[in-house]
Amino acid sequence: MTALRKIIGANLKRIRKSRHLTQAQLAEQSGIEPVSVARIETGINFPKEENLAAIAKALNVKILDFFNAEEQEDLSKESALNYIHFNINYLSDRDLNVLCSAIKAMLYCK
């Protein structure tokens, strides 16, 4: 399980619970299978872009809210780039595509 999957899953679970929703309720509101929500929250699967967008809409949050990692907020730009550079080789092709999508979303929201 990659760190990014854990971050997305933990944030999704935290946000969902703050809305007092079950996984089944979120699945129904977002039009996604309940098992998919569970797999995203546990970090088993990365969400597809369209599923992440549907979940964000159902929870009334920005897609970027799923990518926030508190421990990364304290990193300097140089430290963050070094961290990314060191760990990027450990990502699967699918993980790299998700990372690219996250970067595109971040740039789009600026």
Side-chain angles (χ1 to χ4, degrees), residues 60-76:
N60 195 29
V61 297
K62 296 177 186 173
I63 291 175
L64 288 178
D65 292 338
F66 299 122
F67 293 90
N68 290 335
E70 291 179 19
E71 65 272 7
Q72 291 179 359
E73 291 176 9
D74 295 330
L75 294 178
S76 67

Side-chain angles (χ1 to χ4, degrees), residues 15-82:
I15 295 166
R16 175 183 59 77
K17 285 188 169 199
S18 75
R19 305 292 196 273
H20 306 289
L21 293 172
T22 65
Q23 288 178 344
Q25 290 169 324
L26 176 58
E28 184 178 328
Q29 290 180 14
S30 60
I32 296 169
E33 293 294 321
V35 69
S36 295
V37 174
R39 288 181 176 168
I40 294 166
E41 283 190 4
T42 57
I44 294 171
N45 290 347
F46 270 117
K48 295 178 184 176
E49 272 186 75
E50 59 270 16
N51 288 351
L52 195 59
I55 291 169
K57 184 176 180 181
L59 293 171
N60 195 29
V61 297
K62 296 177 186 173
I63 291 175
L64 288 178
D65 292 338
F66 299 122
F67 293 90
N68 290 335
E70 291 179 19
E71 65 272 7
Q72 291 179 359
E73 291 176 9
D74 295 330
L75 294 178
S76 67
K77 183 174 183 176
E78 182 179 352
S79 295
L81 288 172
N82 286 336

